[in-house]
Amino acid sequence: MSNIVIERETANDESGIVVAIHVRSGEAVEQDRPLFDIENSKAVQEIWSTTAGILTHALEIGQTVEFGVPIAQIVTPEEWAARARKQVHSPRIPETRPKPHAVTTGNENPCDFVLSQGPSPASRSLAVPHLSRAATALITDHHLSSTTFDIDFVTSRDVLSYLGSLRPPGVPQPSADSPTQTIEPRPETGRTVEHRKAAEIEALSNGAGDTMLSVLGATIGPLTVRRTTADFLNGRITDLVIYEAARLMRKFPKLNSAYRDGRVITHEAVHAGLAIDSGSRLVVYGIENADRASLHELSATIADAVERYLENMLTSAEMSRATFTVTDLSADELDFVFPLLPRGQSCIVGITHSAQTGFRLFCGFDHRVTEGREVAAFLGELRSRLLTFGAAPTAAQEVPQCQFCGRSADETLRKNKERGLLKVVGRDGHESLCCASCWNGW
Amino acid sequence: MNKPGTYRLLAQNGHGTSRLMEEKSMTSLSYLQVSPDQQVVSVALESAREAAARGLGAAHGFLRDPLNQAEVECALRIRAVENALYDLFGQGKLHGTIHTCIGQEFSGAILSKHLRPDDFVTSNHRCHGHFIGATADWRGLIDEVVGNEDGVCAGIGSSQHLWATNFMSNGQQGGLLPVAAGIALDRKMKNERNVVVSFIGEGTLGEGVLYETLNLDALWDLPHVIICENNFYSQSTVQERGVSGVIADRARSFSITSETVDTWDLPTFDAVLGAAMELAREESRPAFLTLKTYRLNPHSKSDDTRDRKEVDWFRDHDPATLAIRYYEHFESKYKEFEAEAAEAIRTALGKNPLQSNSYFFNQLPPTNRFDSIPWTPLATPPAEDLRVAQQLNAFYKGWLAEDESAFFLGEDIADPYGGAFKVARDLTNTFPDRVRTTPISEAGITGVGIGLAVSGRRAFVEIMFGDFITYAFDQIINNASKIFHMYNQKLECPVIVRTPMGGRRGYGPTHSQSLERFLIGIDNCCTLSLNSLAAVSVQLAALDQLRCPVILLENKSDYAARTFSPPKGFAIKSDGSLLPTLRIHPEYVPSTVTLLAYGGMARFVADALIEIFERTDALPEMIVPTSICPFSLGSIVESVKRTKHLVVIEEGSGFGSVGAEIVAQLNECPELSFTVRRISAKGTPIPSAPTLEAAVLPSINDVCAAVMSLMEQNP
């Protein structure tokens, strides 16, 4: 067997073209018989047989052949017969693309460009479009078919645009700038903060912004308070805390102060703030001169304040005059509260109640104004005073006291030589004891 | 020996030597003598002294003979005009410089006796005497030197660049010699017994193009007489320093008849010149005359380092001076000429200069700018489509058949070889007179082509490899490019210099270059870059309409290719302009990037369009100009406006290239915003080894990378 190889004749060519075939494949040839004509850029080369035998080739007219590579062979008759037996006659199977699931849609709009040459009757002339590599990747990822696209050249932008047109409305489109992106971003949720909350935030942040807030807590325990009237304060101690805390503010004036620019400004009056929040708006109602109000007056004021709060009739003066605040969360079963200081205050008392531990007080305070020792003393004293309101009459309860100054009958006897306490009936029918000094005024 | 009258040349083919005036051979610098005041004296000048002394009697004899009156008066006329111009220059009223020929007038005067209509004269910077001798248009010369619109070239060329129907001068030494040979070739073909006379100086003997011309004159038997005026000083350099051997022997070595004469023994000069012209006219043979002479004025002005005594001695022997001194008739004639010259100068000074707006017209083909482009589809190439080299062969053959005066020159193009790339196959067989294979003389044959072109013929000059066009730069830039404007648009030069550019064949650094960037922006020259995307007949359809010089760049790789067929989905269109710009674009889908390429790179990129699309995700369209200087900006703008992305791909270096010019012009367009990348060869010579060569030249990888970086920068 011998190979027929075309030699390269010119530096300018790497291949030639078959322009003539003189002998068909399978024909017998003798030596020096012209077989083919190969044309290069300068001339036509005649290719001759080098030996006798059977010529085998697969050349066609117009085919490009490379130089230096065998283009045909001359074999012996035996080899030819052996080859003929082995040959399998089967047609060439054309290459097919893998067929992913075809997606049918009704509203395709893959081609959304402005054609400067004017609208074409068809945008596709090829049976199978050309796909860029990036487009191929996307099509495979999304299990599309290339025949979905009605254009000759499909880029990633086309695929993304098509994918975008499949989405239900309201969901934002993916960006077409990064052709490899396949995950769409989660749409953002959230409402704008309401106006009142924004005001609350502003109020709290003004107070809490610079505040060195610290909180101390004390357990009061279960406290049953005998109330003469079945009013909304049943089961609560809100008025009691306000009553005692307001009076204690005279003893602990720093807790009735505010920190401003390196100075501690003590309020002259004690206006106890009552936090009221029905769910629509948190306000702190300032009970005026709470340290001089009786319990009875306090409860009346509280009731009035709540009523007017519900009717939105509170004035801004009422809502901003508190010098300290009490916030009562005992309606819920809670163990702990971390109360935030409103603007201009340095003490807030939170009340919690749980079935196990009873009432607890948590005092939030501004560490720039006071410190833990003082607050602990305040809390201790507040606690002991509150305990005196307990249902079980204690010995201390039997000792008559002046309602207003708190002196016992013994004290008034000792100090002012008074023989006893007067029983005073208030305008609302409420009975209380009063010493002569308080009745006479001094 | 010194008889006036006819004189028969002894030598015919140069093997015998004429012993008329033999010079001493001066080759050693030890012969240089330095005079006491350090002025270099030419010892070769001794032969001039001898000749002047010897010729004194003959000169007087010539002056006395009434038959010579016209020639003497011509010489005096030249002197009067030269002196007047020289004085004007001294007064500071001349813009530029002049090189007067005082003392050498008789070379022009005696020439005038032997010239016939349709003869032609070329000269150099010291051309006034030759001009007046050839044309008698001394008034036009004065106007020209003064610089007004009545000058022979309307003041454009001034002293050194003159033109008349039978005259041409240019400033670079020897540059016009091959052009003169081309004109001589034209006269020979016309067979009307005309002669071309060229004047050079002894300084010109250093320029190689002289010897290329002598070689061509001898090989082709051209009727070309070259007169070397040896005035023994090249500006300030004495002859010994610049000229070796014997001047006359140079021509003899080419087997050209060579004689030595001088401007003192005027009868002998007259006779020998007559005989040389006769030889050229009747037998179509070249001749070379060495004419010893002496200029009495400085090279131009105030640049005279010669000994005053020497100059004065020669003045006393100068025939024109003798005529004025000793012959009353000539003295009064001279005074007359002086007055006329003065008058002409006075008038000339009062005339208007040429309006500049009429000067700027050029012969370049029109190009579109911002009109809408009528893209027309190209016809698909026929099935038995020829390779590009064969198409070119057919094109040139057709041209030569149709235009019977056209010429086609090239090295090694004789059949059966037909040229290095076979483009000229069969042409010498078919047109043996007009298709000539030449020696390896790129400057010479380009000059011959120019000479043929200025004589009214189309001339194709093939430079075998584009790399060798460097030899022809002077002819292209200082002759072909300048002729139309320099001679006030009176003369055309429709020469076509064609050469293949391109690498990728492993031919190495000096056989692979793409030198487009040295061949663009040449005044009044159109540079074409053929590609294989459209048939040759389409790209060169309008070539015959170009009357300017054309540089036609073919491509080695494209020679073997057949005309491109766009891949399915792409269409190829032409913008319909005189020299078309082609556009290959996706037929139905808008493209997103413009690829601009020309020459061989156009096919290289076009074959890879689908691959570029698949790799870059951008859909390219190609813009391929066939004329790269000037180019059709409008067709490029139209594409870039749409795609906003441009990649320019060229095979040569990118610094100051076609691509750089295109981007610059695009940036001057109002309201055109785009981003651009330019791809070109690396700035090193092109190596031969295949991987190295591929690394230096632009690749498809480079194109893809550029496209992707563009799309990233500006999606």
Side-chain angles (χ1 to χ4, degrees), chain A residues 142-388:
Chain A
H142 290 263
H143 308 296
L144 301 176
S145 160
S146 61
T147 53
T148 310
F149 298 93
D150 200 25
I151 42 177
D152 286 342
F153 297 95
V154 182
T155 63
S156 61
R157 201 176 279 225
D158 300 320
V159 180
L160 289 169
S161 179
Y162 167 76
L163 290 171
S165 69
L166 296 178
R167 228 160 254 112
V171 181
Q173 310 282 337
S175 158
D177 292 334
S178 47
T180 55
Q181 178 187 333
T182 51
I183 301 168
E184 61 228 77
R186 187 182 298 280
E188 267 204 291
T189 52
R191 313 164 285 128
T192 320
V193 172
E194 285 167 274
H195 177 68
R196 65 120 201 134
K197 189 70 184 172
E200 177 190 319
I201 290 168
E202 219 224 348
L204 283 174
S205 64
N206 270 332
D210 302 340
T211 303
M212 286 187 183
L213 182 64
S214 185
V215 178
L216 288 181
T219 305
I220 306 298
L223 195 64
T224 323
V225 180
R226 183 171 50 85
R227 294 201 180 267
T228 52
T229 50
D231 57 3
F232 67 98
L233 288 170
N234 236 349
R236 293 180 167 222
I237 55 169
T238 324
D239 53 338
L240 305 181
V241 172
I242 290 174
Y243 177 82
E244 296 298 348
R247 275 155 182 79
L248 279 173
M249 285 301 156
R250 291 295 173 196
K251 224 172 152 184
F252 300 91
K254 282 206 213 156
L255 299 184
N256 195 47
S257 311
Y259 180 91
R260 199 181 304 147
D261 299 326
R263 286 160 48 229
V264 174
I265 299 164
T266 304
H267 304 291
E268 278 183 12
V270 176
H271 303 311
L274 171 68
I276 312 174
D277 187 4
S278 66
S280 59
R281 187 165 54 114
L282 171 65
V283 307
V284 175
Y285 178 85
I287 301 167
E288 216 168 2
N289 297 316
D291 60 332
R292 300 222 206 112
S294 68
L295 261 180
H296 188 70
E297 279 166 9
L298 271 179
S299 60
T301 312
I302 290 169
D304 179 56
V306 169
E307 204 179 291
R308 289 203 293 123
Y309 159 83
L310 290 171
E311 286 163 3
N312 265 328
M313 285 173 59
L314 294 177
T315 66
S316 61
E318 289 168 330
M319 293 194 285
S320 60
R321 66 188 169 202
T323 57
F324 79 96
T325 303
V326 173
T327 175
D328 187 4
L329 297 135
S330 54
D332 303 307
E333 282 291 299
L334 295 171
D335 292 320
F336 171 76
V337 65
F338 192 90
L340 297 179
L341 283 168
R343 189 187 305 147
Q345 298 176 24
S346 61
C347 172
I348 177 169
V349 179
I351 310 167
T352 63
H353 179 272
S354 74
Q356 279 176 316
T357 55
F359 287 103
R360 273 178 172 161
L361 298 181
F362 293 90
C363 180
F365 62 97
D366 189 348
H367 216 286
R368 297 176 296 179
V369 172
T370 180
E371 61 282 328
R373 220 155 73 80
E374 184 167 25
V375 175
F378 164 76
L379 263 183
E381 200 144 337
L382 180 58
R383 179 171 167 278
S384 59
R385 287 194 185 200
L386 283 173
L387 282 173
T388 64

Side-chain angles (χ1 to χ4, degrees), chain A residues 12-19 38-43 64 67, chain B residues 384-394 532 536 557-563:
Chain A
N12 223 32
D13 295 326
E14 276 149 11
S15 59
I17 301 209
V18 179
V19 293
I38 310 290
E39 189 189 68
N40 59 35
S41 70
K42 298 197 178 178
T64 302
F67 297 127
Chain B
E384 10 11 84
D385 188 29
L386 302 171
R387 296 175 193 263
V388 170
Q390 295 164 316
Q391 294 181 36
L392 286 165
N393 179 260
S532 62
V536 163
S557 298
D558 277 346
Y559 276 154
R562 295 182 198 278
T563 307

